[in-house]
Amino acid sequence: MTGAPPVAELATHAVTNQPPDYGGVDLFATDAALAEAALREGGAWVGAPLHDLGREAGGIDLLALGEAANRHPPELAAFDRYGQRLDEVRFHPAYDALMATAMRHGIHDVAWRAGRTGGHVLHAAMLAIFTQAEAGVMCPMSMTYASVPALRHAAPAVRDLWIGRIVGGVYDALLRPVADKQGATVGMAMTEKQGGSDVRANTTRAEPDGADGAVRLVGHKWFCSAPMSDGFLTLAQGEAGLSCYLVPRILPDGTRNAIHLQRLKDKLGNRSNASAEIEYHGAWALPVGAPGRGVATIIEMVHHTRLDTLAGTLGIMRAALARAAHHAAHRRAFQRRLIDQPAMAAVLADLAVEYEAAAVLVMRLARAFDAADGAESALARLGVALGKFWLTRRCPGFVAECLECLGGAGYIEEQALPRLYREAPLNAIWEGSGNVIALDVLRALARQPAAGAAVLAEIAAARGGH
Ligand SMILES: Cc1cc2nc3c(=O)[nH]c(=O)nc-3n(C[C@H](O)[C@H](O)[C@H](O)COP(=O)(O)OP(=O)(O)OC[C@H]3O[C@@H](n4cnc5c(N)ncnc54)[C@H](O)[C@@H]3O)c2cc1C
């Protein structure tokens, strides 16, 4: 009888020369450049919370949640089965778990809760670390963090209610009035179809509606990310011109505000996070800041989200570099580990040096956000624009280089690199695209010459050093 050959003879391949899975690392402890920069700029006290987050974000569980939240993107539930408006987004449970984790670590509020210098450094370092597990949820974390300085311009009762739910708040996805919630998240709605950079072209109207400056909004917004947030800082044309308003998702009486989700964007990356096109059909809103001073008010939010475009970029760069180094340390070609091949060592060294410089830059700028004095805030104003322009432009090429270090494997969706590659261009686009930032730099130099002097003084201090 001629039977099948024994299994051992059938074996066509043994899996060799492949790296072990990446994960199970403390993303803070294993990142000497970030650790040094964060401790130097923020103070020794930021070390413990960063280790806590680093261990959790680098653990295989959170990395798996990040993959799942991107593999199962959010879906719009515009109507219920009977045709009633719902205007809700349905998320995979992984997204909720990631949001809860991010808020438990205080990425959204630690800068305002710290009560000591270094809070913004800790926030930025946390955002960079969490981004390595999942970038999408950092959008609502960043907007919520950044909403606080703008919300300070609201009437005292509104300010205290909302900031009181943000600072110290936990993730609470239930749709109910903010006063009844354990924590709140805030988004921002500026961009309209006819203009995103040029927000003065906004056409959304704000019609007076009773006391306290309340208004009813009629209009649309072309991009509104994290549309399940509890409130949105939005720009609309009021009687005094373009003004800033806070639009709660649920009204104080528990009913839904007239914020209608038209559709969700089908995005290149950042897919775990929903970005909606919305319409206001008489949505109730309260003023934030002086009437007609909408841009001046919301720019305080934008100034802080810009810092996060830098921190997010840092996280993307680090995640890509770590995967490249991990692969090269385990994979062999031509009788050597890749990392020991001179050409690969040179590639990785270039990438590592660029990442280390980025870590120094981002942590230094975050410290400037912590300091109240004039020279530091001047440095923050101009430095964040310069840093955003530079780092976000470098990021896609940087990630592509890291991707190539994995060879063909880097191009395969099961790896982290394709997701990072799609995420890489985004931080350049929002909160001011390249040209807009370049024009903003010129405006800052003209209006605030001290900002230019502060940047030059900072560079001069490093002259001749390594
Ligand atoms: C995933 C995602 C999520 C987003 N989420 C939100 C959100 O939650 N809320 C929100 O309000 N917006 C959001 N946006 C919108 C984003 O902020 C805008 O897309 C961005 O500000 C650019 O505006 P725009 O798309 O209208 O482009 P435009 O303003 O039309 O600009 C197009 C290009 O022209 C350049 N440009 C503009 N003006 C000039 C000039 N004067 N000189 C030279 N060049 C110029 C810009 O730099 C850009 O490269 C999101 C965008 C994306 C991609």
Side-chain angles (χ1 to χ4, degrees):
M1 193 178 92
T2 56
V7 171
E9 282 179 34
L10 278 176
T12 54
H13 71 291
V15 179
T16 60
N17 197 24
Q18 290 284 2
D21 229 353
Y22 179 87
V25 289
D26 175 341
L27 293 176
F28 184 62
T30 52
D31 188 345
L34 180 67
E36 265 182 42
L39 297 176
R40 181 176 59 245
E41 306 296 352
W45 72 277
V46 306
L50 287 172
H51 275 297
D52 283 349
L53 178 63
R55 271 189 293 271
E56 193 165 357
I60 49 174
D61 292 346
L62 213 74
L63 293 173
L65 287 175
E67 282 183 33
N70 282 272
R71 207 176 318 117
H72 306 285
E75 291 177 0
L76 176 63
F79 300 95
D80 73 5
R81 70 189 69 195
Y82 300 110
Q84 312 276 359
R85 287 215 77 106
L86 275 180
D87 299 298
E88 289 179 21
V89 178
R90 303 272 189 256
F91 292 99
H92 187 271
Y95 176 87
D96 291 306
L98 289 160
M99 285 287 288
T101 306
M103 290 187 80
R104 174 161 47 77
H105 284 274
I107 300 178
H108 67 294
D109 72 341
V110 73
W112 315 117
R113 187 160 42 81
R116 60 211 282 191
T117 52
H120 292 270
V121 172
L122 178 54
H123 160 79
M126 280 185 163
L127 197 136
I129 288 172
F130 203 103
T131 296
Q132 295 169 55
E134 212 295 294
V137 296
M138 291 300 95
C139 170
M141 290 304 96
S142 171
M143 291 195 292
T144 302
Y145 150 75
S147 70
V148 169
L151 285 169
R152 287 186 182 137
H153 297 280
V158 178
R159 176 196 66 201
D160 293 348
L161 172 62
W162 282 81
I163 295 180
R165 290 300 179 281
I166 292 170
V167 178
V170 295
Y171 183 51
D172 178 350
L174 292 177
L175 283 175
R176 50 186 173 184
V178 67
D180 301 338
K181 296 200 63 163
Q182 314 263 327
T185 55
V186 174
M188 94 169 108
M190 297 188 291
T191 308
E192 297 188 0
K193 294 186 185 71
Q194 71 283 357
S197 311
D198 186 5
V199 291
R200 291 189 188 279
N202 274 190
T203 58
T204 295
R205 301 190 314 276
E207 311 285 353
D209 185 62
D212 305 330
V215 293
R216 293 277 168 187
L217 299 178
V218 177
H220 78 280
K221 295 290 169 182
W222 182 229
F223 279 92
C224 177
S225 289
M228 293 298 279
S229 299
D230 296 292
F232 305 91
L233 285 170
T234 204
L235 291 180
Q237 303 288 353
E239 286 178 325
L242 197 62
S243 306
C244 181
Y245 300 94
L246 173 63
V247 197
R249 191 162 160 67
I250 301 296
L251 295 169
D253 66 4
T255 57
R256 288 167 196 232
N257 207 355
I259 307 167
H260 296 151
L261 274 53
Q262 303 300 106
R263 63 174 171 170
L264 298 186
K265 302 285 195 188
D266 185 6
K267 295 179 289 185
L268 172 67
N270 201 255
R271 292 181 69 82
S272 70
N273 176 36
S275 297
E277 296 167 17
I278 64 170
E279 288 190 359
Y280 297 127
H281 294 136
W284 182 80
L286 290 167
V288 178
R293 301 279 299 155
V295 174
T297 304
I298 212 158
I299 209 76
E300 296 206 30
M301 182 172 185
V302 172
H303 180 53
H304 287 80
T305 49
R306 277 186 186 167
L307 175 65
D308 289 350
T309 64
L310 287 162
T313 300
L314 191 65
I316 293 168
M317 290 169 76
R318 175 66 192 177
L321 174 60
R323 294 319 195 284
H326 177 77
H327 188 87
H330 291 93
R331 176 88 167 169
R332 297 177 71 83
F334 303 98
Q335 294 84 46
R336 285 188 192 178
R337 292 188 310 158
L338 284 175
I339 207 162
D340 297 324
Q341 292 286 6
M344 180 59 91
V347 167
L348 289 169
D350 276 354
L351 291 167
V353 167
E354 179 154 13
Y355 170 71
E356 292 188 12
V360 170
L361 173 67
V362 177
M363 292 298 105
R364 174 65 187 93
L365 284 172
R367 170 153 71 89
F369 278 68
D370 267 312
D373 78 82
E376 283 290 295
S377 62
L379 177 66
R381 165 71 183 88
L382 186 57
V384 81
L386 291 168
K388 180 181 189 302
F389 185 88
W390 179 255
L391 269 197
T392 62
R393 301 202 94 57
R394 297 287 306 166
C395 187
F398 184 97
V399 175
E401 187 82 272
C402 293
L403 185 152
E404 199 176 318
C405 291
L406 276 74
Y411 204 65
I412 302 305
E413 286 290 344
E414 280 173 308
Q415 300 285 346
L417 268 305
R419 174 147 66 96
L420 293 166
Y421 188 64
R422 286 194 297 269
E423 194 71 28
L426 180 53
N427 282 299
I429 294 171
W430 57 22
E431 317 312 325
S433 311
N435 285 349
V436 171
I437 291 288
L439 294 169
D440 184 57
V441 165
L442 295 178
R443 192 166 37 245
L445 286 171
R447 285 195 191 162
Q448 213 179 333
V455 169
L456 291 178
E458 189 68 20
I459 294 169
R463 198 170 176 190
H466 291 283

